[in-house]
Structures are given as C-alpha cells and as structure tokens.
Amino acid sequence: GIEYSSMTTANNNTRPLSPIQETIPKILLGYTNSSKTLEKSKYTQLLYTSTILPAISLRDYVQRLATYANLTDEALLSAIMYIDRGFNSKGAAITEFELHRLLFTSCVVSMKFLFDDFFDNEYYAEIGGITLTEMNLLEKDFLNRLDFRLMVTKKDFRRYRKGILNYIDVNKDLQTCYTLSQQSQLLFPCLLYTSPSPRDATLSRMPSSA
C-alpha cells in the first residue's frame, strides 16, 4: 500500500514550488468527484485507488516530487495533459482517492519522456510511497491507456499553460478556469508544451530522513 502517512515535506531541503506547481493541485482537487461520499465499490480506477484518503496533501506531494525527482513545470503540465488523454477523455471518473497515484504515475511517465536523465523505478517508488511492483504496474497501465502517445504539441502545451497562468493572474475560481476552453471537452481545459526548461546538471538523491 501507499505509505503516505510517513511522508513529510516540512524540512529545510524542500524546493520552493513555482506558481504553476502551487496552482495545479488546487485545480485537480476542484475537478474531482465528491469522493468522500462515494463507496469504494463504485470506483472505476481501482489500480490507482488508495484505501484511505492520503494524509499528505496533493500540494505537498507535488512538492515532494519537485524536491526529490526534479519535477519541472513542463513535466507537470505534460502530466496533466496525459491524464486528460488517458482518463477524462474516455469518461473515467477521478476522485480524491485516485489523485495521488494518478498524478504521481503521470509525472513519472512525463519526466522519463521529456528528460535524458531520470531515475529508475525503484527510486520513484520510494518517493511516491509505493512498492516497486505497484510502480511498474501503474506505469504499464498508464502507458497502455495512452496507447503510448506521449508527444505534446507546442500549440496544445501553450494553451494549457496560458489557462493556468490566466487562473493565477486574475485569481479566478475553478468554474471560470473551466470555461476558458469548454470546447476541448477535457478535464483540464486550461492547461500545454513550450520548450522544456534545462535539466539540473546534478540530480540530488532523496535524503534518507525523508
């Protein structure tokens, strides 16, 4: 199972989040179904479903990925696009019980696709609080749902990114964010890919105390 309760980002080693990284968890939570009132038997994404709501917030989970896996804005935006492609565009319901695993898996896939240097699945599993077996199963399922279509166009990326920045700049509510591009029929119609930012030359390992 996922050891969310043992995770913490409250230490001096945490990386400050960018405005985009701060905002996307809020938008994700705004688009989930009323998961606290749903019965587990009704979930459609059991592989991604946690048995209990994670103790770590989605915001802190993103910070954990940014701190220990060098998650960038570009990788996070691409990850949101992948969720649109593989889940919402196919009518899959997403609840708070799925968000952590789903976003985590999407971010791992995104970072592997975008960057020449990335960690192995054993390390990603440690960061995400899951077992290596779970990590491998999640990655395989996620890629199959995408039909291995990981390319993101500049046009799409810019549309997603512009929507997020608009949301930040004008501090509008989630409904306004949604209406920015209702025609897309996707879960996050306000998020997409400028050129990737440079990777850090050195990837720091997660401290054992984390």
Side-chain angles (χ1 to χ4, degrees):
I2 300 181
E3 299 296 333
Y4 295 112
S5 59
S6 65
M7 295 181 180
T8 177
T9 55
N11 60 65
N12 295 329
N13 296 320
T14 56
R15 178 178 298 178
L17 294 182
S18 70
I20 286 178
Q21 291 170 337
E22 287 277 7
T23 302
I24 284 180
K26 298 176 184 177
I27 294 176
L28 284 166
L29 288 169
Y31 280 106
T32 56
N33 293 328
S34 301
S35 57
K36 292 182 179 179
T37 61
L38 292 178
E39 295 178 8
K40 187 173 183 297
S41 60
K42 295 180 181 179
Y43 296 163
T44 58
Q45 318 299 329
L46 292 180
L47 184 61
Y48 300 86
T49 303
S50 176
T51 54
I52 60 174
L53 283 176
I56 185 172
S57 70
L58 196 63
R59 184 266 182 198
D60 286 350
Y61 202 46
V62 168
Q63 186 169 43
R64 185 176 177 85
L65 294 176
T67 300
Y68 302 127
N70 295 297
L71 177 68
T72 63
D73 285 357
E74 291 76 20
L76 183 56
L77 284 167
S78 294
I80 297 306
M81 294 180 60
Y82 294 163
I83 294 174
D84 264 350
R85 288 181 185 177
F87 289 80
N88 190 65
S89 63
K90 298 179 180 179
I94 300 174
T95 75
E96 290 176 80
F97 288 88
E98 285 87 37
L99 270 184
H100 287 67
R101 285 191 183 208
L102 184 57
L103 181 61
F104 169 69
T105 306
S106 188
C107 286
V108 169
V109 169
S110 176
M111 289 186 287
K112 285 186 174 184
F113 182 73
L114 290 177
F115 306 133
D116 293 331
D117 297 320
F118 51 81
F119 299 109
D120 58 31
N121 276 6
E122 184 175 3
Y123 180 68
Y124 284 128
E126 183 179 2
I127 293 173
I130 61 177
T131 67
L132 177 58
T133 298
E134 288 173 318
M135 177 74 258
N136 292 336
L137 288 173
L138 288 167
E139 183 179 31
K140 180 180 179 181
D141 179 82
F142 195 87
L143 289 169
N144 284 331
R145 287 174 182 270
L146 291 175
D147 295 324
F148 289 82
R149 296 182 300 109
L150 301 179
M151 289 297 297
V152 175
T153 67
K154 289 183 178 180
K155 178 181 178 181
D156 283 342
F157 183 88
R158 287 168 179 161
R159 177 166 59 87
Y160 272 60
R161 185 173 182 273
K162 180 180 179 181
I164 289 292
L165 294 178
N166 285 346
Y167 173 81
I168 295 170
D169 290 342
V170 300
N171 195 29
K172 293 183 178 179
D173 60 20
L174 294 175
Q175 183 59 37
T176 302
C177 182
Y178 174 76
T179 59
L180 288 175
S181 57
Q182 279 181 306
Q183 67 275 15
S184 69
Q185 300 299 309
L186 296 182
L187 180 62
F188 310 106
C190 53
L191 296 175
L192 276 180
Y193 193 126
T194 78
S195 58
S197 62
R199 288 298 305 273
D200 291 337
T202 303
L203 301 180
S204 60
R205 296 290 293 183
M206 179 173 65
S208 58
S209 60

